[in-house]
Amino acid sequence: MTELTWVRVCALADILPLGARTIPHRKGEIAVFRCGDDSIFAVLNRCPHKQGPLSEGIVHGHRVACPLHSWVIDLESGEAVAPDIGCTPKIPTKIEDGAVWLAVPA
Amino acid sequence: MLPISRERLVVVGNGMAGMRTVEELLKLDPTRFDIAVFGAEPHPNYDRIMLSSVLAGEKQVDDIVINTRAWYEENDISLHTGDPVVKIDPKARTVTAQSGLTVPYDRLLLATGSKPIVPPIPGLNLPGVCAFRDIADVDTMIDASTKHRKAVVIGGGLLGLEAAWGLKRRGMDVALVHLMPTLMERQLDETAGKLLQRDLTERGIAFFTNGQTEEVTGKDRVTGIKLADGRGAPADLVVVAIGIRPETTLAREAGLEVNRGIVVGDNLSTSDPDIFAVGECAEHRGQVVGLVAPIWDMAKVCAHHLAGGGELIYTAQVSATRLKITGIDVYSAGQLAAGEDEDEIVLRDARRGAYRKLVMRDGKVVGTVLYGDVTDGAWYFDLIRRRTDVSDIASRMILGQAALGGGTQEPDVAAMPDDMQICGCNGVCKGTIVDTIKAKGLDSYEAVKAHTKASASCGSCAPLVRQLLAATLGVEVTGPAIPTVCKCTDHTHEEVRTQILKQKLKTQAAVREAMAWKTPDGCASCRPALNFYLLCAWPGEYQDDSRSRFINERAHANIQKDGTYSVIPRMWGGTATPAELAAIATVAAKYDVKEVKITGGQRLGIYGIKKPDLPAVWGELTDAGLVSGHAYAKGLRTVKTCVGLEWCRFGTQDSTSLGKQLERLTWGNWTPHKFKMGVSGCPRNCAEASIKDFGVVCVESGFDLLVGGNGGIELRGTDRLCHVATEAEVLEYCAAFMQLYREEARYLDRTAPWIERVGIAYVRTRIVDDAEGRKVLAEKFRHAQSFLQDDPWAERANQGVDATEFKPLPALV
Ligand code: SRM
Ligand SMILES: Cc1cc2nc3c(=O)[nH]c(=O)nc-3n(C[C@H](O)[C@H](O)[C@H](O)COP(=O)(O)OP(=O)(O)OC[C@H]3O[C@@H](n4cnc5c(N)ncnc54)[C@H](O)[C@@H]3O)c2cc1C
Ligand code: SF4
Ligand code: FES
């Protein structure tokens, strides 16, 4: 069983609305997204198609369009939107005191 | 089974006149005759008019079949194709075909059409020579166009010109020899003929007017032609289209009265009352015909008499001519020039290249010639046919119906009288169309065409038919669907752009709100489009939204498959200084880049830079004076140049310097899609200007400007915009053209598809004809540039713009 720990990664204001930042991590780069409604999502920064960096895509709704071949990934589930099939690991997030927190393996 | 005792009708000639007569007859009395049809060609009946479109590649042979073999079967007609009739025996009342088949008739219909005139010159039997009359000729031409380069067309009438244009469209070099000083002299007056020649010359057809062909040369295949005055041209294909002569051999041998054509009376019977003749083979009151409109009248009258009627008589009507060359509008009808008793009213609009003339007698229009703008053709034609007295409006009517009626741009179909002829080819009046739409509940243009035959022949009245359908149904009739911006909205690009200006919408949120977007923040398709539209509408005011830009434009570098980036600095006109080259080399070494490559756009690309390193790389390049090459932008990419006058032995102007000036003028601009230019020092065109969005070819007398080329997915050569004399004009035309493209093309339209849609003629009216408008556009472009020409690399390297874009957050342990 993996244990997760909440860590503070940045202030909400460090990510522009409809923008994303990346965070290096030993298990692979993480992409953190800020949507139009200020909700925050994090996934592994690796498109299920050909490992495109999702952090560079255009964010809309709770989705991001991959910059390489335009697959659309649903950030709530990490799943590719039909007709494409694939999934990228999701990382739990929360916002507390104006800061962004991720739950990462200890 | 139908009774055996029916009368026997034999039709000789499976062409347009013969089969139209049979169709009319079946409408009147479907069971009267046992019908047999003989055709010399191996095909069922097809629309000969449309051979021009088949040659030009706009239609396939299958598209132009009028009556399929199934139709003949359904109507119990025995069809003998590829079997010409060789003998008529009027005493025995039989015809004999080439196959030996002899059939008896009670009534015989001759509809043998015409044959092309063959001039008495040597060499016409060589392979590679053909006429332009039937499918076999078109096959010969198409085949030649795939294997050979050079074509010569002899004859500058309607057929010759359409042949020349079709061959040009198929990629051949085409020269046209015409005996007379001006083209289509039988349908056009001298002025219109000259305008036509000018426009076709511009489209790349070479002309030899006053040219008498003396010989077609060659041994095993044609190699060229020689003219009487010593001129000549090489050719791998020669098309002879100098005229037609009624096909009367059979009738003559059968002892019928034949003059130029087979002589017929007002009921279309020949000197033998059981034998009728229709179409181009017939001569009525000394006149033979060469267009389908009078032939449809003949068919109707002839069918009436075959079916036992006795009232209808055929009277010759004026007919109108229209040239079927896409984008060239020529129309003429009636008398072309004033004689002693007539007056001419002429309107010239040299800037637009438009011309119109009315020939008037006793307050009535008796002829018209229109060039460039033919919308009023149908109106004038109607006045001619009705012999309407127009004395009270004579002086103003040259301006067109719209000018009289108070300014609608399109002809007002609602105001047209019911018996106004809409389709000249098929003689269909407005009333017939409207009644048929109502009676049959038609709701599409295709259905109206099928039921009424309006616009079913040459197709030039199709816009009027569509309007009539719209007016009758009281709705807009949709052409091909206009795309919406994306799934977030039902609005088209055009609607969005109009509303942005009209309602002064200045943010994306405002647009989405005002236009009832279905998503709160759009999607990856509409956001970049809205961002561009707003940027273009409100220069200096709208704040570019980096998060509505595709990564390449946001990061000002092209993302590569491994997630690294390429950096491509601008090399003005493809040139570089030693210091610039040194800076590129230094960066490449210092950041351990994987590759330095000369791109297809004449500059150096540095590949494999990691995103966080981009600002530092740019900083070093900026220090050496290099700026972004925008190799990632929907904006100006490169201006490709050749060495030109400075070095090249053929150079006529300083193409390198002009290219740099164009690049300095336009860099940093955002456009609907990427924009590329080329400037070549002479027509050898080493900078490939003819596949660029904006191309310049320098010539001794100045500069040829080309637009709308594309060397990408779908190859498209440029259209010629115009010729200008000075560099200053090149810059002004370029700025104006780019601004027009910015303001009117849809986001992600390159100039090529945009021009395909709006037509080069439209672009010319805005950029070439309208000098005032051009200046305004160029000024708007320069104004926008005052906000856009900041080097994005310098801003990001030294001024901290978008810093978070390039910096990852601290690593998690
Ligand atoms: C680098 C370069 C290839 C090279 O190594 O030489 C290149 C690279 C790419 N081209 Fe290109 N094109 C390059 C010259 C061309 C040319 C040649 C030219 O410009 O003379 C053409 C055909 C000419 C034309 O556009 O009319 C060309 C036609 C295209 C097209 C098809 C465009 C079209 O309208 O059909 C695309 C696809 C698109 O834009 O949607 C494209 C797209 C691309 C993209 C941007 C693909 C992508 O989306 O990632 C490539 C980016 C790679 C990168 O990061 O550099 N590239 N591309 C050339 C850059 C020139 C420069 O200095 O800016
Ligand atoms: C390329 C082209 C473009 C044209 N464009 C236009 C236009 O825009 N507008 C317009 O109004 N008109 C146009 N025309 C003219 C129009 O096509 C003719 O006026 C019309 O086809 C004449 O009809 P027809 O039946 O008299 O002759 P055709 O249609 O030529 O039919 C005659 C048929 O009889 C056959 N035949 C001849 N002798 C025999 C025999 N002994 N036995 C059996 N069959 C025989 C022939 O092979 C031919 O198939 C164009 C013509 C051409 C070639
Ligand atoms: S042609 Fe252009 S888009 Fe295709 S692989 Fe080469 S650089 Fe990439
Ligand atoms: S890598 Fe993301 S769509 Fe191809």
Side-chain angles (χ1 to χ4, degrees):
Chain A
M1 183 182 132
T2 22
E3 244 176 74
L4 299 180
T5 346
W6 285 107
V7 281
R8 180 188 186 279
V9 291
C10 64
L12 180 61
D14 289 337
I15 312 176
L16 295 172
L18 298 173
R21 299 293 295 269
T22 57
I23 304 174
H25 184 258
R26 62 191 150 78
K27 294 236 164 139
E29 198 171 57
I30 298 171
V32 192
F33 298 88
R34 173 172 170 189
C35 297
D37 57 4
D38 279 350
S39 53
I40 292 281
F41 295 97
V43 297
L44 211 58
N45 195 17
R46 237 173 42 199
C47 174
H49 178 220
K50 293 191 173 175
Q51 287 80 53
L54 295 171
S55 56
E56 313 302 333
I58 291 183
V59 181
H60 55 283
H62 288 177
R63 293 173 168 187
V64 63
C66 175
L68 290 198
H69 317 95
S70 303
W71 279 31
V72 176
I73 309 298
D74 186 340
L75 296 170
E76 289 174 13
S77 62
E79 301 268 358
V81 171
D84 301 317
I85 299 172
C87 160
T88 189
K90 249 203 85 174
I91 292 122
T93 58
K94 66 174 179 182
I95 302 178
E96 240 172 60
D97 306 330
V100 177
W101 295 73
L102 302 190
V104 288
Chain B
M1 261 324 270
L2 292 159
I4 318 271
S5 62
R6 290 192 297 169
E7 284 184 87
R8 283 158 307 195
L9 171 66
V10 172
V11 183
V12 186
N14 186 28
M16 299 191 75
M19 294 325 292
R20 178 56 84 96
T21 310
V22 171
E23 283 183 20
E24 295 283 358
L25 180 61
L26 292 174
K27 271 196 242 165
L28 295 176
D29 191 346
T31 56
R32 184 181 188 105
F33 289 102
D34 194 358
I35 304 174
V37 176
F38 286 85
E41 294 184 71
H43 309 279
N45 174 33
Y46 60 90
D47 189 346
R48 198 170 301 284
I49 298 179
M50 285 297 157
L51 288 178
S52 305
S53 306
V54 174
L55 180 63
E58 294 156 1
K59 285 215 155 69
Q60 302 286 319
V61 168
D62 286 348
D63 301 334
I64 68 169
V65 171
I66 301 177
N67 298 113
T68 58
R69 287 181 192 273
W71 177 88
Y72 289 88
E73 263 171 41
E74 277 157 28
N75 289 287
D76 207 20
I77 297 170
S78 48
L79 172 65
H80 307 271
T81 51
D83 194 9
V85 169
V86 291
K87 186 169 177 284
I88 303 170
D89 184 341
K91 290 213 185 67
R93 301 223 282 189
T94 57
V95 300
T96 305
Q98 197 175 49
S99 61
L101 181 67
T102 298
V103 294
Y105 67 78
D106 296 303
R107 287 278 202 280
L108 179 63
L109 176 60
L110 299 179
T112 46
S114 299
K115 58 182 177 224
I117 295 181
V118 183
I121 51 173
L124 286 182
N125 50 0
L126 283 168
V129 181
C130 69
F132 188 17
R133 179 74 195 175
D134 54 28
I135 290 181
D137 293 328
V138 173
D139 284 343
T140 306
M141 287 190 251
I142 293 177
D143 183 55
S145 75
T146 61
K147 299 184 181 135
H148 302 282
R149 271 224 71 80
K150 294 188 182 328
V152 167
V153 176
I154 304 176
L158 183 115
L159 281 190
L161 291 167
E162 291 182 353
W165 174 240
L167 293 167
K168 182 81 206 159
R169 284 282 304 246
R170 288 195 177 262
M172 295 191 85
D173 294 336
V174 183
L176 187 143
V177 181
H178 190 46
L179 189 58
M180 307 302 284
T182 61
L183 301 178
M184 283 180 75
E185 74 285 347
R186 269 185 289 164
Q187 292 91 11
L188 297 181
D189 63 357
E190 197 182 312
T191 311
K194 291 222 161 106
L195 285 170
L196 178 61
Q197 183 172 344
R198 188 201 64 184
D199 282 355
L200 288 173
T201 306
E202 225 175 61
R203 291 181 173 209
I205 295 174
F207 287 96
F208 295 84
T209 46
N210 295 310
Q212 165 117 48
T213 313
E214 199 173 56
E215 188 188 343
V216 173
T217 57
K219 256 180 74 191
D220 304 324
R221 183 181 175 89
V222 281
T223 53
I225 53 132
K226 276 195 195 134
L227 304 187
D229 57 13
R231 289 180 291 173
D236 313 304
L237 169 73
V238 171
V239 180
V240 185
I242 57 170
I244 52 173
R245 180 168 293 142
E247 174 56 77
T248 58
T249 324
L250 281 178
R252 197 181 299 273
E253 286 170 358
L256 300 180
E257 189 185 342
V258 172
N259 201 2
R260 212 147 47 104
I262 306 166
V263 176
V264 294
D266 290 348
N267 68 349
L268 296 160
S269 71
T270 65
S271 53
D272 178 333
D274 291 331
I275 305 180
F276 290 73
V278 287
E280 286 180 349
C281 65
E283 175 180 324
H284 174 257
R285 299 191 180 218
Q287 301 271 0
V288 291
V289 299
L291 292 171
V292 293
I295 292 178
W296 299 157
D297 291 342
M298 288 181 173
K300 206 171 254 158
V301 174
C302 182
H304 169 85
H305 289 279
L306 284 172
E311 296 90 56
L312 286 187
I313 61 162
Y314 170 74
T315 42
Q317 294 274 5
V318 249
S319 46
T321 310
R322 214 176 152 151
L323 188 66
K324 301 187 297 297
I325 296 186
T326 321
I328 291 198
D329 288 321
V330 196
Y331 186 97
S332 81
Q335 203 169 320
L336 302 183
E340 278 188 5
D341 302 330
E342 291 101 19
D343 278 330
E344 284 183 359
I345 308 177
V346 172
L347 178 71
R348 273 172 233 274
D349 186 345
R351 279 189 317 136
R352 281 169 192 274
Y355 165 85
R356 52 174 71 187
K357 172 158 100 178
L358 292 173
V359 182
M360 314 283 295
R361 190 193 308 132
D362 302 332
K364 293 177 188 139
V365 192
V366 294
T368 182
V369 180
L370 304 178
Y371 192 88
D373 174 6
V374 299
T375 30
D376 286 302
W379 182 50
Y380 293 142
F381 185 54
D382 193 53
L383 297 174
I384 297 174
R385 283 199 324 134
R386 286 168 198 281
R387 303 190 179 82
T388 312
D389 192 323
V390 291
S391 318
D392 50 334
I393 53 166
S395 58
R396 286 174 294 137
M397 61 185 295
I398 189 79
L399 297 173
Q401 195 177 17
L404 284 182
T408 43
Q409 277 303 304
E410 291 182 328
D412 181 2
V413 287
M416 289 175 181
D418 273 353
D419 59 347
M420 166 132 177
Q421 190 164 312
I422 300 292
C423 173
C425 293
N426 291 292
V428 190
C429 300
K430 174 186 161 185
T432 314
I433 298 177
V434 172
D435 293 347
T436 315
I437 293 171
K438 287 185 183 149
K440 301 232 158 85
L442 307 181
D443 59 2
S444 75
Y445 161 72
E446 290 304 329
V448 178
K449 179 167 121 183
H451 283 277
T452 63
K453 290 215 181 263
S455 79
S457 295
C458 85
S460 59
C461 62
L464 275 180
V465 176
R466 282 183 194 276
Q467 279 181 49
L468 266 178
L469 176 61
T472 311
L473 299 179
V475 295
E476 269 308 305
V477 175
T478 46
I482 303 176
T484 62
V485 176
C486 68
K487 287 195 191 119
C488 303
T489 174
D490 295 329
H491 292 289
T492 64
H493 291 266
E494 288 74 12
E495 286 163 351
V496 170
R497 301 200 80 164
T498 315
Q499 292 309 317
I500 286 177
L501 292 173
K502 214 165 142 190
Q503 303 187 34
K504 299 216 170 13
L505 306 172
K506 299 200 174 172
T507 63
Q508 288 199 39
V511 177
R512 286 194 290 262
E513 155 110 54
M515 304 198 73
W517 235 249
K518 297 175 202 164
T519 48
D521 41 26
C523 72
S525 298
C526 61
R527 282 237 303 281
L530 290 188
N531 189 51
F532 169 73
Y533 291 156
L534 288 161
L535 197 72
C536 178
W538 314 112
E541 239 181 295
Y542 173 72
Q543 190 61 43
D544 197 305
D545 176 30
S546 66
R547 268 123 323 113
S548 294
R549 287 201 178 267
F550 179 64
I551 177 63
N552 290 357
E553 294 189 340
R554 194 168 79 230
H556 291 273
N558 296 64
I559 196 165
Q560 305 295 312
K561 60 190 282 189
D562 63 356
T564 65
Y565 291 78
S566 70
V567 168
I568 306 180
R570 210 164 269 296
M571 290 187 162
W572 306 96
T575 59
T577 64
E580 288 166 350
L581 292 176
I584 292 173
T586 308
V587 160
K590 182 163 166 190
Y591 293 89
D592 189 24
V593 309
K594 303 199 181 83
E595 183 146 73
V596 178
K597 175 181 182 300
I598 296 182
T599 71
Q602 259 188 358
R603 48 212 190 154
L604 287 167
I606 310 169
Y607 286 83
I609 310 272
K610 292 179 204 69
K611 195 176 181 193
D613 289 338
L614 284 172
V617 168
W618 293 335
E620 299 201 16
L621 296 175
T622 305
D623 289 343
L626 289 161
V627 299
S628 166
H630 291 94
Y632 46 79
K634 309 223 182 312
L636 177 78
R637 295 276 174 103
T638 60
V639 182
K640 191 165 182 166
T641 69
C642 73
V643 282
L645 184 63
E646 201 72 340
W647 296 97
C648 177
R649 65 201 165 105
F650 295 117
T652 62
Q653 311 278 351
D654 191 345
S655 48
T656 320
S657 146
L658 179 58
K660 289 185 193 172
Q661 292 178 57
L662 282 167
E663 195 164 358
R664 297 251 178 226
L665 170 74
T666 55
W667 74 274
N669 199 261
W670 296 108
T671 41
H673 205 310
K674 55 193 169 191
F675 195 94
K676 302 180 180 182
M677 300 200 227
V679 186
S680 291
C682 84
R684 287 169 194 75
N685 196 12
C686 299
E688 300 167 318
S690 48
I691 50 165
K692 298 290 184 261
D693 295 280
F694 185 85
V696 183
V697 174
C698 303
V699 290
E700 283 298 340
S701 60
F703 309 88
D704 281 337
L705 305 186
L706 313 172
V707 294
N710 189 317
I713 301 161
E714 203 173 314
L715 185 64
R716 180 179 197 270
T718 42
D719 290 309
R720 189 172 178 277
L721 184 66
C722 63
H723 175 89
V724 297
T726 63
E727 290 190 345
E729 286 170 290
V730 176
L731 295 173
E732 177 177 309
Y733 279 70
C734 174
F737 175 73
M738 255 176 112
Q739 185 64 16
L740 185 69
Y741 169 54
R742 300 179 80 218
E743 289 182 9
E744 300 194 355
R746 295 174 192 152
Y747 189 69
L748 294 190
D749 257 356
R750 280 292 287 271
T751 57
W754 169 59
I755 289 183
E756 284 284 308
R757 199 169 61 242
V758 301
I760 183 64
Y762 168 74
V763 177
R764 284 204 193 107
T765 48
R766 296 290 305 270
I767 306 292
V768 185
D769 305 345
D770 180 0
E772 213 35 59
R774 176 178 66 244
K775 292 207 160 50
V776 172
L777 282 169
E779 192 37 55
K780 281 166 100 176
F781 182 82
R782 287 176 203 273
H783 176 67
Q785 285 299 74
S786 68
F787 302 102
L788 296 175
Q789 286 191 326
D790 291 316
D791 176 28
W793 288 359
E795 288 176 336
R796 282 157 185 78
N798 310 321
Q799 299 156 30
V801 171
D802 281 355
T804 57
E805 176 75 42
F806 303 97
K807 224 166 75 195
L809 293 164
L812 293 176
V813 273

